[in-house]
């Protein structure tokens, strides 16, 4: 959760810096390079995490077969490698997916907005300094909305995670038995409802 949030927040910061501080002539190529670099980085993360996980898992299984020791037996020296590999694969894999998806879809949406809607030109202003064509505001409004949504979704994810953590601790702190799937299912529903609600509220304002 922490690694994924840091990576996605870093992506958002870099995209905002490109949008706000780099001249328009260079911003487009920067965004394209940003998207390509994210895809390459995510591929490296998937390969590294996947290979590490599989090697550790196979090694632990071989110990189980050759020496007739259970995979999770403390006497199996492959257990530590297996647990480390599974943790690396389970954290690096989804993090790489989120890392790529968040950035690449953002670049795609920005590109669509810039191509689909006309930009505001100073020589096409009407009376009072406002655009003669109200549709010219659309590009700026959509770009602001897009980045607002991306910020809100990070806050919704982190907030939902913390709320779910508090509820789960309160419910199961002293329990003798626990269904480990229940908090995960609860988190999915909670995050979905919070995200949908915030999308409507922030879009309205």
């Amino acid at each position: 959760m922490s690694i994924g949030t840091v990576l996605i927040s870093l992506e958002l910061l870099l995209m905002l810096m490109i949008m706000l501080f780099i001249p328009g002539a260079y911003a487009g190529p920067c965004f394209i390079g940003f998207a390509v670099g994210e895809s390459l980085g995510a591929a490296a993360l998937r390969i590294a995490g996947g290979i590490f996980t599989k090697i550790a898992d196979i090694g632990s299984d071989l110990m189980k077969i050759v020496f007739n020791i259970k995979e999770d037996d403390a006497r199996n020296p492959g257990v530590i490698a297996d647990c480390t590999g599974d943790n690396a694969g389970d954290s690096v894999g989804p993090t790489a997916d989120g890392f790529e998806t968040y950035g690449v879809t953002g670049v795609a949406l920005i590109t669509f907005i810039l191509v689909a809607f006309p930009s505001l030109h100073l020589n096409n202003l009407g009376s009072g300094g406002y655009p003669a064509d109200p549709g010219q505001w659309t590009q700026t409004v959509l770009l602001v909305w897009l980045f607002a949504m991306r910020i809100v979704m990070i806050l919704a994810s982190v907030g939902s995670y913390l709320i779910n953590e508090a509820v789960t601790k309160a419910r199961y702190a002293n329990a003798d038995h626990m269904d480990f799937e229940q908090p995960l299912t609860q988190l999915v529903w909670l995050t979905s409802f919070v995200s949908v609600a915030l999308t409507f509220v922030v879009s309205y304002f």
Side-chain angles (χ1 to χ4, degrees):
M1 180 66 183
S2 59
I3 293 173
T5 305
V6 167
L7 279 176
I8 290 175
S9 300
L10 181 61
E11 279 184 292
L12 180 61
L13 179 62
L14 290 172
M15 293 180 74
L16 283 170
M17 290 175 66
I18 293 173
M19 179 69 72
L20 296 174
F21 300 115
I22 294 182
Y26 301 106
C30 280
F31 273 125
I32 299 301
F34 185 71
V36 172
E38 280 182 319
S39 296
L40 292 175
L45 288 172
R46 289 191 188 99
I47 292 170
I51 290 175
F52 186 31
T53 303
K54 290 307 172 189
I55 289 175
D57 196 18
I58 291 170
S60 183
D61 289 338
L62 286 175
M63 292 294 295
K64 176 176 63 177
I65 295 169
V66 174
F67 295 99
N68 197 25
I69 306 175
K70 290 184 177 180
E71 186 176 3
D72 295 329
D73 194 306
R75 296 171 296 167
N76 186 345
V79 170
I80 295 175
D82 184 33
C83 292
T84 306
D86 286 340
N87 280 304
D90 292 341
S91 62
V92 171
T95 299
D97 291 334
F99 175 69
E100 181 185 22
T101 303
Y102 187 83
V104 172
T105 53
V107 172
L109 288 170
I110 290 170
T111 304
F112 172 76
I113 291 171
L114 294 177
V115 172
F117 298 97
S119 59
L120 179 63
H121 297 287
L122 293 177
N123 59 359
N124 194 23
L125 296 178
S127 59
Y130 295 101
D133 179 10
Q136 290 181 335
W137 281 113
T138 307
Q139 186 185 98
T140 303
V141 170
L142 285 176
L143 286 173
V144 171
W145 176 84
L146 174 63
F147 279 97
M149 286 295 102
R150 294 168 77 76
I151 294 170
V152 166
M153 289 303 106
I154 293 177
L155 297 177
S157 298
V158 174
S160 299
Y161 180 85
L162 295 175
I163 292 171
N164 186 66
E165 182 182 32
V167 170
T168 302
K169 282 185 177 180
R171 181 180 296 178
Y172 295 108
N174 299 316
D176 295 327
H177 302 285
M178 175 182 176
D179 179 9
F180 292 98
E181 291 294 329
Q182 201 278 332
L184 296 174
T185 304
Q186 180 177 287
L187 178 60
V188 172
W189 283 106
L190 177 61
T191 307
S192 300
F193 283 125
V194 171
S195 297
V196 170
L198 286 178
T199 296
F200 277 95
V201 171
V202 175
S203 296
Y204 175 80
F205 284 104

